[in-house]
Amino acid sequence: MTAGANLRINSARLWDSLEEMAQIGPGIAGGNNRQTLTDADSEGRHLFAGWCRAAGLTMGVDTMGNMFATRPGTDSAALPVYMGSHLDTQPTGGRYDGVLGVLGALEVVRTLNDMNVQTRHPIVVTNWTNEEGARFAPAMLASGVFAGLHSQDYAYSRTDMEGLRFGDELARIGWVGDEVVGSRKIHAMLELHIEQGPILEAEGREIGVVTHGQGLWWLEITLTGRDAHTGSTPMQMRLNAGLGMARITERVHQIAMSHQPGAVGTVGQVKVFPNSRNVIPGKVIFTVDIRSPDQTKLDLMRGEVERAAYAVAAELGLGCEIEDVGHFDPVTFDANLVNIVRQSAEKLGYSQMDVISGAGHDACWINRVAPTVMIMCPCVGGLSHNEAEEISPEWAAAGTDVLLHAVLEVAGVVG
Ligand code: GLV
Ligand code: MN
Ligand code: MN
């Protein structure tokens, strides 16, 4: 049986839940700082878990803290259909990045409960741990362990800028579950997310059907020079790691510009030692994030950034170490699920277009182990990873309606 086009989610309830979650881990400018494995992350998880209980779902948590809330299907042998995203945020994050995907999935289940709709396959609402990678690189760490890309030991040993370990922090906030990570089998996975870019709004479309995701490299570069007095050290006698960082930052920008269209490059995080105004920086650690949907460009850019960094360091007499801290290849989402999303948007009368995801998502890793797709809705001015990130209740509802209908198509309506 197919769900009728008049079946819609409860938009006001979804919006209320988004607003309530945003009260946890408030930022400084109306957004959120609910970074992974902080007390605020734990509080957000408890709120979500309570809502899942109230919706009659059964919660499982794995050893990476991934949360799985199950609504049974009528066929106990059928593998579950997963929906979800992440509740963690950037340090100056918006209210909707990730959160819409988790709470939209919960709203789908609440709607099925209201309408007494049964599905053949069970449905699972998921919150993946540490999608952002802001505190512990790489991004999508726990879905990466789930999909077998990283070992759990590697994940547990990742440290934040204060030297705290992922494994210790997960235990400290009380969210180490007992399920073996990756032991679940997935029939299909659907992730609803805000676009985080300007295309849908500019084109006046309500739904982005995500056909591909761009690939990325994250590098961490350590330049080593010599701390020395800024006043008394002549310019020609300096080993200035700060200057090296500045030159490499410029080169990263130029390299991405030289691979247009479809390439981006950013130095986003910098740690300067000793970080004193009258000491020439003796050491700088900084991150490089390069992305493209084109594998050839991605790999070319990585090589060019590395060569540029070594060349700048040699010119300035600095030591240079480059560590890979994250990588995934460009992603092609499941063609059948992409069609189901297109048809769902069509059936509901929402305007749509195909898009490529510019950001990384848990769906990019889960795509390795199960058929996966993403649905996107616009965000104002394309702004994300900013506390001012904004969406409209109507956009949120349209994306969640499409999620509802796509999930029902995949999970099979009974009756
Ligand atoms: C995750 O949010 C990323 O794309 O960096
Ligand atoms: Mn996200
Ligand atoms: Mn994000």
Side-chain angles (χ1 to χ4, degrees):
M1 199 178 112
T2 306
N6 57 350
L7 181 64
R8 304 286 166 136
I9 58 100
N10 182 333
S11 165
R13 180 172 56 193
L14 170 63
W15 199 254
D16 284 351
S17 296
L18 288 165
E19 291 295 300
E20 198 174 334
M21 184 58 76
Q23 304 312 307
I24 298 178
I28 50 174
N32 281 106
N33 180 2
R34 201 169 49 246
Q35 288 184 72
T36 197
L37 312 192
T38 57
D39 293 346
D41 180 12
S42 177
E43 202 185 325
R45 288 163 175 268
H46 281 293
L47 179 62
F48 169 61
W51 283 335
C52 291
R53 259 194 313 278
L57 308 182
T58 308
M59 184 64 74
V61 181
D62 72 17
T63 49
M64 285 295 294
N66 294 317
M67 300 171 72
F68 303 104
T70 302
R71 183 178 197 263
T74 56
D75 179 353
S76 56
L79 290 178
V81 177
Y82 286 68
M83 301 181 281
S85 190
H86 61 97
L87 293 173
D88 69 317
T89 75
Q90 290 286 324
T92 53
R95 296 167 163 229
Y96 310 104
D97 171 3
V99 187
L100 177 65
V102 178
L103 300 186
L106 176 64
E107 176 52 39
V108 165
V109 164
R110 287 167 165 173
T111 301
L112 298 183
N113 289 349
D114 290 348
M115 302 296 168
N116 205 15
V117 176
Q118 301 302 314
T119 56
R120 186 168 89 74
H121 291 258
I123 291 177
V124 179
V125 180
T126 304
N127 170 36
W128 298 103
T129 301
N130 187 29
E131 189 279 343
E132 291 291 2
R135 188 174 170 208
F136 299 98
M140 299 116 68
L141 183 63
S143 54
V145 176
F146 185 98
L149 277 304
H150 315 299
S151 71
Q152 181 167 282
D153 286 348
Y154 166 78
Y156 276 16
S157 71
R158 305 305 293 159
T159 51
D160 67 7
M161 279 286 184
E162 313 309 318
L164 297 171
R165 289 174 73 256
F166 179 98
D168 296 339
E169 286 293 276
L170 183 62
R172 185 187 66 77
I173 67 162
W175 281 93
V176 184
D178 51 12
E179 280 187 22
V180 175
V181 59
S183 55
R184 288 168 170 266
K185 299 286 169 269
I186 298 179
H187 178 64
M189 145 100 175
L190 296 91
E191 180 169 357
L192 168 66
H193 206 283
I194 63 168
E195 181 197 356
Q196 306 184 275
I199 297 168
L200 292 176
E201 189 186 33
E203 298 288 326
R205 310 296 169 96
E206 292 154 304
I207 297 295
V209 181
V210 187
T211 57
H212 297 83
Q214 64 180 351
L216 75 74
W217 278 105
W218 276 6
L219 306 174
E220 194 163 288
I221 302 184
T222 304
L223 295 177
T224 318
R226 187 176 54 219
D227 300 356
H229 198 294
T230 53
S232 51
T233 313
M235 294 306 281
Q236 64 279 8
M237 286 180 62
R238 297 172 177 222
L239 297 176
N240 185 344
L243 178 61
M245 183 274 296
R247 288 192 183 166
I248 295 167
T249 302
E250 179 65 27
R251 291 292 295 124
V252 168
H253 183 82
Q254 287 165 350
I255 288 165
M257 288 302 286
S258 74
H259 287 283
Q260 296 305 305
V264 288
T266 310
V267 171
Q269 193 177 23
V270 177
K271 210 156 180 194
V272 178
F273 299 89
N275 205 20
S276 169
R277 82 181 67 219
N278 49 357
V279 181
I280 297 162
K283 184 162 105 170
V284 179
I285 303 174
F286 61 102
T287 60
V288 177
D289 170 323
I290 45 180
R291 309 190 190 205
S292 174
D294 178 326
Q295 181 83 61
T296 311
K297 280 188 188 183
L298 187 65
D299 293 338
L300 275 173
M301 284 199 295
R302 186 201 158 157
E304 289 172 24
V305 167
E306 289 196 335
R307 280 194 296 282
Y310 288 126
V312 166
E315 224 171 86
L316 298 175
L318 305 171
C320 178
E321 277 174 38
I322 303 179
E323 190 192 344
D324 296 350
V325 289
H327 167 243
F328 56 87
D329 290 338
V331 174
T332 302
F333 289 113
D334 183 78
N336 179 44
L337 291 176
V338 165
N339 264 330
I340 288 175
V341 170
R342 271 194 203 112
Q343 284 158 8
S344 301
E346 172 87 35
K347 177 168 98 177
L348 296 169
Y350 291 128
S351 55
Q352 59 173 293
M353 64 184 286
D354 288 358
V355 292
I356 295 175
S357 171
H361 298 287
D362 297 302
C364 298
W365 280 149
I366 300 308
N367 188 54
R368 299 284 194 104
V369 291
T372 299
V373 73
M374 296 190 68
I375 301 161
M376 283 184 175
C377 72
C379 58
V380 175
L383 190 64
S384 183
H385 285 190
N386 185 312
E387 292 199 41
E389 176 186 278
E390 200 48 76
I391 64 175
S392 73
E394 292 74 25
W395 288 341
T400 310
D401 279 336
V402 173
L403 179 67
L404 166 69
H405 282 263
V407 159
L408 286 178
E409 193 59 35
V410 179
V413 178
V414 176

